[in-house]
Amino acid sequence: KRTVTQIEKNGYPDSIYINAAKIFQGIHIEKNEDKMLVQYGNNSESPMMAFKDEHSRRVSYELAFNALKYQDLLEQILLDSSTYPCYSIPDELTSLLVVMLYDLQDRKFQERKIFGEEELIAEVQEVEHYLYRYIIKLAAALARCRIKHDALSIEYFVPETIWKQEQRASALPVYVWINTLKISLEDVIKELEMKGFTKVESVSDFDHYTFAVDQHCHDVLVFPSSLREELLNLDLFADCKLILQ
């Protein structure tokens, strides 16, 4: 788990980019022909790679949906920097180009670190090297965009409907399944209390490090929304004894 966290800070394994691009290909916004400046081709027949584990699946979907949120901005950066159209990269790899561009800007345009045990994929290497050739122009195009719109960060460019959905989602409590094949409710409660959590009767009693047992499903725990990221770092999640809903 610590290795995965280290990889995330410096980019992702090639397989995650491939799967994220495949997901993005199926969900990206199709524009009218008169506004379609970026072509995505059709690679619907190519299969996704097998996910290494549940964490890899979650990260792939997160990356794809982040690219979807900023699709307009990412396309604009590609066009303004003259990185697109790119005749050496076929349209079937445009989704990969967009997904990897999102991750590149998220890393502040720092190069990705490749770990020795990582399996390299030719398409990912090709797109990555292409982006690195234009890295200064890409960063400048993003900066111009932010200056033009007086935006402190790219969050400004999220469509209002998505922003409102995220605001609502971030306020919802976090629901967690207990994997009863590995641990009992009683043992989960003991472990959580040892780590400083307090069991309360209901969601209305939530403070910060608190949790409640769901009133209808006794193998489900509920936590305050503010604890989502902290929860994922617990050994209970790393060992799949608790599973995020």
Side-chain angles (χ1 to χ4, degrees):
K1 183 167 171 54
R2 291 193 187 96
T3 302
V4 171
T5 303
Q6 187 179 13
I7 290 172
E8 282 189 2
K9 291 180 180 178
N10 300 291
Y12 301 98
D14 285 16
S15 60
I16 286 181
Y17 291 117
I18 287 289
N19 282 337
K22 178 68 178 176
I23 296 164
F24 178 76
Q25 178 70 21
I27 62 176
H28 76 272
I29 299 169
E30 293 281 358
K31 300 180 179 178
N32 296 331
E33 287 190 12
D34 57 330
K35 297 181 179 179
M36 194 181 294
L37 300 177
V38 176
Q39 305 290 332
Y40 285 92
N42 179 19
N43 62 354
S44 56
E45 299 301 319
S46 61
M48 290 179 67
M49 297 184 66
F51 291 107
K52 180 180 177 182
D53 49 34
E54 186 58 32
H55 179 81
S56 297
R57 180 193 300 273
R58 181 171 64 85
V59 169
S60 298
Y61 275 93
E62 279 183 2
L63 186 54
F65 276 92
N66 278 329
L68 176 65
K69 279 198 303 185
Y70 298 104
Q71 180 180 333
D72 285 344
L73 174 63
L74 296 169
E75 290 179 356
Q76 188 175 340
I77 292 170
L78 287 172
L79 294 166
D80 289 354
S81 63
S82 300
T83 307
Y84 188 92
C86 40
Y87 301 106
S88 62
I89 305 290
D91 290 346
E92 285 71 27
L93 293 182
T94 301
S95 288
L96 183 60
L97 185 71
V98 171
V99 162
M100 294 190 72
L101 173 58
Y102 169 80
D103 182 57
L104 182 60
Q105 68 77 34
D106 195 42
R107 301 196 314 270
K108 311 299 182 189
F109 295 96
Q110 298 298 311
E111 290 193 9
R112 178 172 64 121
K113 291 185 180 179
I114 304 294
F115 291 82
E117 69 277 9
E118 184 180 331
E119 180 184 350
L120 302 181
I121 299 171
E123 292 86 350
V124 173
Q125 298 297 305
E126 179 185 3
V127 169
E128 184 169 55
H129 292 150
Y130 181 80
L131 287 171
Y132 286 168
R133 281 167 49 196
Y134 288 87
I135 199 165
I136 295 176
K137 290 184 177 181
L138 290 166
L142 175 58
R144 286 194 299 271
C145 239
R146 288 175 54 186
I147 292 169
K148 178 180 178 181
H149 296 279
D150 194 24
L152 293 176
S153 67
I154 68 167
E155 279 75 17
Y156 172 90
F157 298 96
V158 175
E160 186 178 0
T161 53
I162 296 177
W163 181 81
K164 287 181 177 178
Q165 288 172 0
E166 287 188 337
Q167 290 295 104
R168 286 197 296 269
S170 65
L172 292 174
V174 176
Y175 287 82
V176 169
W177 290 96
I178 299 171
N179 183 353
T180 54
L181 295 175
K182 290 192 171 186
I183 195 168
S184 66
L185 169 63
E186 292 74 17
D187 287 340
V188 168
I189 292 174
K190 285 179 185 176
E191 285 203 35
L192 289 172
E193 288 177 341
M194 286 174 60
K195 293 188 178 295
F197 289 84
T198 302
K199 181 177 175 291
V200 296
E201 290 303 313
S202 69
V203 172
S204 59
D205 300 320
F206 275 171
D207 196 352
H208 189 48
Y209 286 100
T210 52
F211 68 95
V213 178
D214 187 87
Q215 295 179 358
H216 304 288
C217 302
H218 293 164
D219 56 351
V220 172
L221 300 180
V222 192
F223 294 84
S225 59
S226 58
L227 293 178
R228 178 182 295 270
E229 294 305 318
E230 287 187 60
L231 289 172
L232 294 175
N233 289 322
L234 293 178
D235 290 339
L236 287 167
F237 283 86
D239 298 334
C240 295
K241 293 176 180 177
L242 292 182
I243 301 168
L244 185 67
Q245 171 62 51

